[in-house]
mmCIF file of all heavy atoms in Angstrom:
data_model
loop_
_atom_site.group_PDB
_atom_site.id
_atom_site.type_symbol
_atom_site.label_atom_id
_atom_site.label_comp_id
_atom_site.label_asym_id
_atom_site.label_seq_id
_atom_site.Cartn_x
_atom_site.Cartn_y
_atom_site.Cartn_z
ATOM 1 N N PHE A 203 -13.740 0.665 -6.475
ATOM 2 C CA PHE A 203 -13.544 -0.473 -5.559
ATOM 3 C C PHE A 203 -14.283 -0.215 -4.243
ATOM 4 O O PHE A 203 -14.285 0.912 -3.730
ATOM 5 C CB PHE A 203 -12.049 -0.644 -5.247
ATOM 6 C CG PHE A 203 -11.273 -1.364 -6.326
ATOM 7 C CD1 PHE A 203 -11.037 -0.757 -7.561
ATOM 8 C CD2 PHE A 203 -10.777 -2.643 -6.107
ATOM 9 C CE1 PHE A 203 -10.317 -1.402 -8.546
ATOM 10 C CE2 PHE A 203 -10.049 -3.293 -7.096
ATOM 11 C CZ PHE A 203 -9.821 -2.673 -8.318
ATOM 12 N N ILE A 204 -14.915 -1.254 -3.700
ATOM 13 C CA ILE A 204 -15.526 -1.153 -2.367
ATOM 14 C C ILE A 204 -14.420 -1.435 -1.355
ATOM 15 O O ILE A 204 -13.526 -2.240 -1.621
ATOM 16 C CB ILE A 204 -16.575 -2.265 -2.148
ATOM 17 C CG1 ILE A 204 -17.462 -2.452 -3.364
ATOM 18 C CG2 ILE A 204 -17.398 -2.050 -0.898
ATOM 19 C CD1 ILE A 204 -18.192 -3.790 -3.316
ATOM 20 N N ILE A 205 -14.505 -0.811 -0.177
ATOM 21 C CA ILE A 205 -13.476 -1.059 0.842
ATOM 22 C C ILE A 205 -14.012 -2.034 1.888
ATOM 23 O O ILE A 205 -15.132 -1.864 2.379
ATOM 24 C CB ILE A 205 -13.042 0.257 1.505
ATOM 25 C CG1 ILE A 205 -12.398 1.139 0.433
ATOM 26 C CG2 ILE A 205 -12.060 -0.002 2.651
ATOM 27 C CD1 ILE A 205 -12.106 2.541 0.864
ATOM 28 N N ALA A 206 -13.196 -3.052 2.206
ATOM 29 C CA ALA A 206 -13.625 -4.050 3.201
ATOM 30 C C ALA A 206 -12.608 -4.132 4.328
ATOM 31 O O ALA A 206 -11.438 -3.836 4.140
ATOM 32 C CB ALA A 206 -13.758 -5.414 2.531
ATOM 33 N N ASP A 207 -13.092 -4.548 5.492
ATOM 34 C CA ASP A 207 -12.221 -4.664 6.661
ATOM 35 C C ASP A 207 -12.494 -6.026 7.301
ATOM 36 O O ASP A 207 -13.618 -6.512 7.264
ATOM 37 C CB ASP A 207 -12.590 -3.529 7.638
ATOM 38 C CG ASP A 207 -11.569 -3.410 8.738
ATOM 39 O OD1 ASP A 207 -10.463 -3.937 8.581
ATOM 40 O OD2 ASP A 207 -11.892 -2.787 9.766
ATOM 41 N N GLY A 208 -11.462 -6.629 7.892
ATOM 42 C CA GLY A 208 -11.673 -7.948 8.503
ATOM 43 C C GLY A 208 -10.714 -8.195 9.653
ATOM 44 O O GLY A 208 -9.880 -7.356 9.952
ATOM 45 N N PRO A 209 -10.827 -9.372 10.278
ATOM 46 C CA PRO A 209 -10.100 -9.628 11.531
ATOM 47 C C PRO A 209 -8.604 -9.872 11.352
ATOM 48 O O PRO A 209 -8.176 -10.448 10.358
ATOM 49 C CB PRO A 209 -10.763 -10.901 12.061
ATOM 50 C CG PRO A 209 -11.307 -11.573 10.856
ATOM 51 C CD PRO A 209 -11.661 -10.508 9.866
ATOM 52 N N GLU A 210 -7.850 -9.441 12.375
ATOM 53 C CA GLU A 210 -6.403 -9.692 12.363
ATOM 54 C C GLU A 210 -6.104 -11.080 12.937
ATOM 55 O O GLU A 210 -5.129 -11.705 12.564
ATOM 56 C CB GLU A 210 -5.688 -8.600 13.180
ATOM 57 C CG GLU A 210 -5.732 -7.267 12.479
ATOM 58 C CD GLU A 210 -5.284 -6.098 13.339
ATOM 59 O OE1 GLU A 210 -4.901 -6.290 14.509
ATOM 60 O OE2 GLU A 210 -5.333 -4.971 12.824
ATOM 61 N N VAL A 211 -6.943 -11.529 13.882
ATOM 62 C CA VAL A 211 -6.832 -12.913 14.350
ATOM 63 C C VAL A 211 -7.734 -13.719 13.417
ATOM 64 O O VAL A 211 -8.936 -13.503 13.357
ATOM 65 C CB VAL A 211 -7.299 -13.050 15.812
ATOM 66 C CG1 VAL A 211 -7.262 -14.510 16.243
ATOM 67 C CG2 VAL A 211 -6.420 -12.205 16.722
ATOM 68 N N GLU A 212 -7.108 -14.620 12.673
ATOM 69 C CA GLU A 212 -7.823 -15.237 11.548
ATOM 70 C C GLU A 212 -7.880 -16.753 11.692
ATOM 71 O O GLU A 212 -6.991 -17.375 12.288
ATOM 72 C CB GLU A 212 -7.094 -14.830 10.249
ATOM 73 C CG GLU A 212 -7.716 -15.296 8.967
ATOM 74 C CD GLU A 212 -9.164 -14.849 8.804
ATOM 75 O OE1 GLU A 212 -10.031 -15.500 9.432
ATOM 76 O OE2 GLU A 212 -9.438 -13.908 8.046
ATOM 77 N N GLU A 213 -8.933 -17.341 11.144
ATOM 78 C CA GLU A 213 -9.020 -18.800 11.147
ATOM 79 C C GLU A 213 -8.055 -19.353 10.099
ATOM 80 O O GLU A 213 -7.932 -18.782 9.000
ATOM 81 C CB GLU A 213 -10.446 -19.229 10.804
ATOM 82 C CG GLU A 213 -11.428 -18.878 11.888
ATOM 83 C CD GLU A 213 -12.857 -19.203 11.462
ATOM 84 O OE1 GLU A 213 -13.066 -20.221 10.780
ATOM 85 O OE2 GLU A 213 -13.753 -18.408 11.810
ATOM 86 N N VAL A 214 -7.434 -20.480 10.430
ATOM 87 C CA VAL A 214 -6.516 -21.145 9.494
ATOM 88 C C VAL A 214 -7.247 -21.414 8.174
ATOM 89 O O VAL A 214 -6.691 -21.304 7.086
ATOM 90 C CB VAL A 214 -5.983 -22.459 10.129
ATOM 91 C CG1 VAL A 214 -5.309 -23.345 9.105
ATOM 92 C CG2 VAL A 214 -5.033 -22.118 11.269
#
Side-chain angles (χ1 to χ4, degrees):
F203 280 70
I204 316 163
I205 297 171
D207 191 17
E210 290 169 1
V211 176
E212 183 56 281
E213 292 175 37
V214 166

